[in-house]
Amino acid sequence: MDTRIENNSELKYEKIAWGTSLPVPSVQELVRNDAKEIPLRYIQNNENRPLTNFKSSPESPKIPVINFSQLADGDEYERKKLHLACKEWGFFQILNHGITKEVIHKVKKAVFGFFELPLIEKKKYAMEQDDLHGYGQAFVHSEEQTLEWSDIMFLIIYPLKSRKTMVWPELPGFKEAVEEYSLNMERVRDEILGNISLLLGLKRESLKEMHGEMKHAVRMNYYPPCPNPDLVLGIGPHSDATSITLLLQDDDISGLQINHNQKWLPVNPIPNAILVNVGDCLEIWSNGMYKSIEHRAVTNKEKVRISIAANMFPADMMELEPVETMIDEQRPNMYKKVKFLDLIKYGMSKTMDGKIFIEYAKEEDNQGS
């Protein structure tokens, strides 16, 4: 067993000071109560409403697919594919990653098991207003903003000092399934970051070291059916304030869309594949060569959909700026030096909309913050 897990009980919980999020009603409970009409707070403005077409897009198969096993073996062709995927798409799917179907099945079953609990049971693990751990919704900062058609569970996995064990559901097998899956994701993460380091002209361990004491969080998303999916969004358009995000999609239901060349493109799930996307921190480190891409989630009229995102963040006090190997006369420094904590606190104070974190990193008055 991982010694970090064995020693968990000896560590005192350290609150993450990223901001606050107001409590909101459970969307799942609205659906359970047979709501026929969507409450006004969930209805998007006309310009934000999705065109909900659940058919496959002819462009979707073009989203890069990386053979992880070959990448880990040092295959230069796969590394070149990784470079092009990060540069031209900001998203790619990986196959042959070594995470067994059993591990994936167990973590999906654990997530479904939690969300299928009665509301009174789920509320035992609710987010506090000044803390993001637990069950609820994030990025809610006013009573007027439009809400998203989803519920989430947000858990810090590592470091253990940031793990809030009291909001981990006490369901048989839940903790074990999440930890086993998370350890597998760390192996995949390290291999991807190692290859990207080499592509940036750095030593293999450089990007991992630049995180400091890396935070690994899991965001579990639950999208209930919606009577009018063309009026709402499961998650609004945004980029991730991560270095990279590794997402486990629902195998059967498409819901994620990415903004590729100013067009919303559905990401057709590949069974047991892991979807990886470039986060805002990696965009900054690469001086904009690899760009984080806006993405959103649409809903389904008839079916529940879940997704499980492993989010990788630098330590709060780490300073972000482009690496020297990515700055030259053709590509001058595009971003100011910012502390990760300042970056994410700024974003948490805003509605999750577009590339708010990158906007902050590009503002002139942030130099030296």
Side-chain angles (χ1 to χ4, degrees), residues 219-252:
R219 174 175 166 142
M220 306 168 185
N221 304 299
Y222 184 96
Y223 305 99
C226 179
N228 295 104
D230 56 328
L231 299 180
V232 306
L233 285 172
I235 296 180
H238 68 286
S239 61
D240 293 348
T242 61
S243 55
I244 60 173
T245 301
L246 302 97
L247 182 74
L248 185 61
Q249 296 198 83
D250 194 298
D251 284 346
D252 303 315

Side-chain angles (χ1 to χ4, degrees), residues 8-41:
N8 186 23
S9 60
E10 301 173 10
L11 294 171
K12 184 179 179 181
Y13 159 61
E14 180 184 86
K15 182 179 292 188
I16 51 173
W18 290 353
T20 63
S21 187
L22 300 177
V24 296
S26 163
V27 182
Q28 182 183 10
E29 206 63 19
L30 290 175
V31 175
R32 280 180 170 175
N33 291 333
D34 295 323
K36 302 301 183 184
E37 296 185 3
I38 300 172
L40 287 177
R41 280 195 73 187

Side-chain angles (χ1 to χ4, degrees), residues 101-322:
K101 292 180 180 179
E102 289 74 20
V103 168
I104 291 173
H105 173 74
K106 282 194 294 185
V107 75
K108 286 184 175 181
K109 181 180 178 182
V111 172
F112 262 119
F114 168 72
F115 282 108
E116 288 305 307
L117 289 173
L119 181 62
I120 192 171
E121 290 297 315
K122 291 197 290 285
K123 280 189 170 182
K124 294 178 181 178
Y125 312 105
M127 293 179 181
E128 298 179 44
Q129 186 165 327
D130 63 344
D131 199 350
L132 299 177
H133 297 81
Y135 169 70
Q137 191 54 268
F139 291 90
V140 181
H141 60 85
S142 83
E143 298 292 345
E144 289 76 38
Q145 77 183 75
T146 303
L147 298 179
E148 297 170 335
W149 197 262
S150 61
D151 297 329
I152 73 168
M153 167 62 87
F154 185 83
L155 301 175
I156 297 286
I157 310 299
Y158 303 117
L160 287 177
K161 67 183 181 183
S162 297
R163 185 186 291 196
K164 189 176 182 180
T165 56
M166 60 279 288
V167 296
W168 281 59
E170 295 180 359
L171 293 174
F174 181 93
K175 179 173 179 287
E176 293 76 12
V178 172
E179 285 180 336
E180 184 178 21
Y181 180 71
S182 297
L183 287 172
N184 274 275
M185 294 301 275
E186 290 200 337
R187 171 182 57 79
V188 173
R189 171 205 70 196
D190 289 350
E191 186 62 45
I192 292 172
L193 288 177
N195 277 275
I196 293 176
S197 291
L198 296 175
L199 289 168
L200 296 181
L202 305 171
K203 294 181 180 178
R204 187 177 182 88
E205 295 299 314
S206 293
L207 277 180
K208 185 177 180 180
E209 292 170 355
M210 285 160 55
H211 284 76
E213 189 174 31
M214 190 186 303
K215 278 190 173 68
H216 174 175
V218 171
R219 174 175 166 142
M220 306 168 185
N221 304 299
Y222 184 96
Y223 305 99
C226 179
N228 295 104
D230 56 328
L231 299 180
V232 306
L233 285 172
I235 296 180
H238 68 286
S239 61
D240 293 348
T242 61
S243 55
I244 60 173
T245 301
L246 302 97
L247 182 74
L248 185 61
Q249 296 198 83
D250 194 298
D251 284 346
D252 303 315
I253 306 169
S254 176
L256 180 66
Q257 298 179 345
I258 64 174
N259 190 350
H260 181 67
N261 293 334
Q262 306 304 310
K263 178 181 178 182
W264 287 108
L265 182 66
V267 181
N268 299 329
I270 301 173
N272 298 313
I274 303 295
L275 180 70
V276 184
N277 65 278
V278 171
D280 297 321
C281 297
L282 181 54
E283 175 171 335
I284 294 171
W285 283 327
S286 70
N287 198 26
M289 182 174 72
Y290 300 153
K291 284 186 169 59
S292 57
I293 302 299
E294 287 184 69
H295 49 287
R296 67 184 187 183
V298 298
T299 59
N300 190 291
K301 191 171 184 176
E302 299 174 352
K303 297 181 179 179
V304 171
R305 188 174 76 89
I306 67 162
S307 66
I308 305 169
N311 301 303
M312 308 301 171
F313 303 100
D316 286 351
M317 301 312 292
M318 295 303 293
E319 293 186 324
L320 308 175
E321 61 181 332

